[in-house]
Amino acid sequence: MSSNTVKRILSSLSIFIILAFSFYLGRWAVLSLLALIMILIMDEIFRNFLKKKRLSFNYIFSQLSILIPFILLFFFQIDFKFDIYGFFVHWGLLNNIFLLIYLFLVPMNDLTLIERAKKRPFLLGLFYLPFLVCFGTILNFEMWERYLLALFVINYSMDTGGWFFGRKFGKHKLWPAVSPKKTVEGLIGGILTSACFGSLFWNYYIHPVNLYFFITFAIFAFLSQMGDLVQSKLKRQFGIKDSSRMIPGHGGLYDRADSVIFLAPFFVAALRYIKGYYIA
Amino acid sequence: MPRDPDFSNLSHVAVIMDGNGRWAQQRSHLRVWGHIRGAQVVSGIVQEASDLGISELTLYAFSTENWARPINEVRTLFRLLEKFLLRERKRLIDNKVLFRVVGDISVLPVETIELINELENSTKNNRGLKLNFAFNYGGRKEIVETVNKIIAKNEKVTHESIRDNLDLSEVDLLIRTGGEKRISNFLLWQTAYSELYFSSTMWPDFTPEEFKVIIEEYRNRERRFGNISRTSCLEKSNLVAIKNKEIIASLRGN
């Protein structure tokens, strides 16, 4: 085994232990961990994507515009007379639709958005806020551990399945301009792996599944891969490879979390709006 | 047949306040949040019941089975009862409400028990709406305890003695919100002849307007108590039944 592989395995193991320990401690620990991860991701974006200093208005405003609403919503349980979580879920979906449009319609060499983001980075906090709230929303469900794990299973099986099938059968490049290593075979294999493991997990730990669940999980897997591609495109346009070197062998936190962040609003929307998904 | 003049007399309404947790989860809120919202709905309904001239209202706040819920939820429900009492205390006294808690309250925190006793004492002479809170209440448990009470008094166990020894009177209308169609061990004896109304509205969304509509609907229903036409109460029906039994018996005697 190369030293990089050892590093990767050790890093994965530590991440798993941190996650498991916070799950064991309960809802508040997981909420705090999520908030911490979001702070670190924002830090990566500001330091490495935008090359900004920590002690600046933009940085502090962005961090606070995520943290304060999150704390008010989940730690102080502020009362709203309207469906506040629905508002954030829709906001997250809108952000995702925007990102998808950006992925498919904006040419690779069009850096208008990148320049805008560099000019007014204080808005980035508000862009990432709904994603964090979507994660918090999952933790409001009575069976939050299972739903959160289901989200991770779907996401992780997509990555792993994609990697495995891509290496074994990969012939046709998916989109070399955005992500040179991804193949069509990897995408299809990943989707199938993810739908299978997602269905199995759901079936044993949440609710008996049928074909509709399988199809939905396949769509989730596809969307998670799209999230990956969006971030690949953005990283390429920013001219960086990894978001940071925080996790040895893996790169940055954002590299690990990008697709699951993208998937979260879709997942919560399914829990809220598709009949039979959420079990009281 | 002449219409019974007092058929629409609605004296006792019981409500199962269900759907709080589900209401909250549908909005991606914590379950306990639904109970907090649900508690805010109660006073409006009590007011409406009083305005509609209902003489007794029983609310199912916590059943003997609700102990199976997550511990946080149980604690919240306990705390909400206390908060409700503190908040509504003055209004209950001002509106001459006769307040009572039925069920085993010995499990509650001492301060809450004192609060309940104090409020029950200071309202016991009121002649307005009778408001009963069923807390840690179970219908079967109540019947068993009542029968034991009668036996301890060395009385004969009969329909009448059980009726007279129960804490609550016969229920005319039982409303359950939240869409489930069950009685869930609530007032089993007293609901034998009640009209049932199941509303799909979750309790936090329940409004005094809907309550009024349900009461109107009840007043248009035909209660027969085993008779073939409208009858105002079970006792009237029983009188006819006794008379008929006598006639049949005398015919057989011939």
Side-chain angles (χ1 to χ4, degrees), chain B residues 114-181:
Chain B
E114 279 168 8
L115 198 63
I116 290 169
N117 290 337
E118 193 262 328
L119 195 54
E120 281 183 348
N121 265 327
S122 51
T123 62
K124 70 179 174 202
N125 295 320
N126 285 345
R127 287 290 161 263
L129 174 77
K130 282 189 204 162
L131 176 65
N132 308 313
F133 259 59
F135 204 92
N136 196 14
Y137 170 92
R140 287 178 172 175
K141 197 175 168 220
E142 190 193 18
I143 294 172
V144 170
E145 280 171 359
T146 309
V147 170
N148 281 332
K149 210 159 74 184
I150 296 166
I151 293 168
K153 280 193 214 161
N154 254 331
E155 284 174 29
K156 206 167 165 247
V157 180
T158 61
H159 283 201
E160 289 72 27
S161 67
I162 291 179
R163 186 192 63 203
D164 296 342
N165 279 290
L166 282 169
D167 282 338
L168 299 173
S169 65
E170 198 80 14
V171 173
D172 296 307
L173 170 64
L174 173 69
I175 301 169
R176 182 180 188 137
T177 61
E180 304 291 351
K181 294 178 179 63

Side-chain angles (χ1 to χ4, degrees), chain A residues 29 34 42 52 64 103-104 138 155 158 162 174 180 192 209 212 218:
Chain A
L34 287 175
M42 282 312 285
K52 301 275 178 195
L64 290 182
L103 172 66
F104 287 110
I138 299 175
N155 184 259
M158 176 67 225
L174 183 66
L192 289 178
V209 294
Y212 293 113

Side-chain angles (χ1 to χ4, degrees), chain B residues 22-198:
Chain B
R22 273 174 291 147
W23 178 88
Q25 294 269 282
Q26 280 167 2
R27 284 157 186 73
S28 327
H29 271 288
L30 291 173
R31 276 182 70 86
V32 290
W33 194 244
H35 295 300
I36 294 168
R37 274 300 181 76
Q40 293 167 5
V41 172
V42 173
S43 61
I45 304 299
V46 172
Q47 188 63 50
E48 186 68 23
S50 176
D51 293 348
L52 288 169
I54 291 160
S55 55
E56 190 167 358
L57 178 69
T58 303
L59 301 172
Y60 207 4
F62 190 81
S63 84
T64 47
E65 285 76 25
N66 287 148
W67 284 101
R69 300 211 167 166
I71 188 73
N72 266 342
E73 201 172 325
V74 174
R75 258 198 231 131
T76 305
L77 285 165
F78 283 10
R79 214 171 48 233
L80 280 174
L81 175 68
E82 188 182 353
K83 271 192 177 169
F84 178 83
L85 296 176
L86 287 171
R87 198 178 58 220
E88 299 291 321
R89 194 180 171 278
K90 193 174 175 302
R91 187 140 55 139
L92 292 176
I93 293 170
D94 286 351
N95 287 347
K96 304 254 177 295
V97 171
L98 198 168
F99 179 79
R100 213 148 49 114
V101 176
V102 290
D104 179 15
I105 58 166
S106 62
V107 294
L108 287 167
V110 184
E111 307 88 70
T112 316
I113 297 176
E114 279 168 8
L115 198 63
I116 290 169
N117 290 337
E118 193 262 328
L119 195 54
E120 281 183 348
N121 265 327
S122 51
T123 62
K124 70 179 174 202
N125 295 320
N126 285 345
R127 287 290 161 263
L129 174 77
K130 282 189 204 162
L131 176 65
N132 308 313
F133 259 59
F135 204 92
N136 196 14
Y137 170 92
R140 287 178 172 175
K141 197 175 168 220
E142 190 193 18
I143 294 172
V144 170
E145 280 171 359
T146 309
V147 170
N148 281 332
K149 210 159 74 184
I150 296 166
I151 293 168
K153 280 193 214 161
N154 254 331
E155 284 174 29
K156 206 167 165 247
V157 180
T158 61
H159 283 201
E160 289 72 27
S161 67
I162 291 179
R163 186 192 63 203
D164 296 342
N165 279 290
L166 282 169
D167 282 338
L168 299 173
S169 65
E170 198 80 14
V171 173
D172 296 307
L173 170 64
L174 173 69
I175 301 169
R176 182 180 188 137
T177 61
E180 304 291 351
K181 294 178 179 63
R182 291 190 283 265
I183 304 227
S184 297
N185 202 9
F186 185 44
L187 300 173
L188 292 179
W189 182 276
Q190 295 91 332
T191 51
Y193 273 97
S194 313
E195 292 294 316
L196 307 179
Y197 190 98
F198 299 105

Side-chain angles (χ1 to χ4, degrees), chain A residues 95-103 127 131 230-231 234 262:
Chain A
N95 281 1
N96 277 348
I97 290 166
F98 167 77
L99 286 175
L100 284 174
I101 291 172
Y102 186 78
L103 172 66
F127 187 81
F131 294 104
V230 173
Q231 304 311 336
L234 287 173
F262 185 81

Side-chain angles (χ1 to χ4, degrees), chain A residues 27 77-86 137 139-143 268 272 278 280, chain B residues 21-33 36-37 40 69-73:
Chain A
R27 187 172 169 267
Q77 307 281 331
I78 293 276
D79 188 9
F80 286 91
K81 290 293 171 201
F82 67 103
D83 183 7
I84 184 75
Y85 294 114
T137 301
L139 274 91
N140 275 346
F141 288 105
E142 203 52 38
M143 294 203 294
V268 179
R272 283 174 63 98
Y278 141 72
Chain B
R22 273 174 291 147
W23 178 88
Q25 294 269 282
Q26 280 167 2
R27 284 157 186 73
S28 327
H29 271 288
L30 291 173
R31 276 182 70 86
V32 290
W33 194 244
I36 294 168
R37 274 300 181 76
Q40 293 167 5
R69 300 211 167 166
I71 188 73
N72 266 342
E73 201 172 325

Side-chain angles (χ1 to χ4, degrees), chain A residues 149-212:
Chain A
L149 276 176
L151 177 62
F152 288 146
V153 165
I154 291 166
N155 184 259
Y156 191 72
S157 332
M158 176 67 225
D159 291 351
T160 316
W163 170 80
F164 179 80
F165 279 93
R167 225 176 54 153
K168 277 255 173 199
F169 310 104
K171 281 199 187 73
H172 306 84
K173 290 279 177 225
L174 183 66
W175 197 344
V178 173
S179 186
K181 280 184 183 164
K182 290 198 169 63
T183 58
V184 180
E185 290 80 3
L187 176 69
I188 293 167
I191 287 173
L192 289 178
T193 317
S194 180
C196 286
F197 279 107
S199 301
L200 280 174
F201 183 88
W202 206 274
N203 192 53
Y204 286 114
Y205 292 105
I206 299 176
H207 192 261
V209 294
N210 52 32
L211 188 65
Y212 293 113

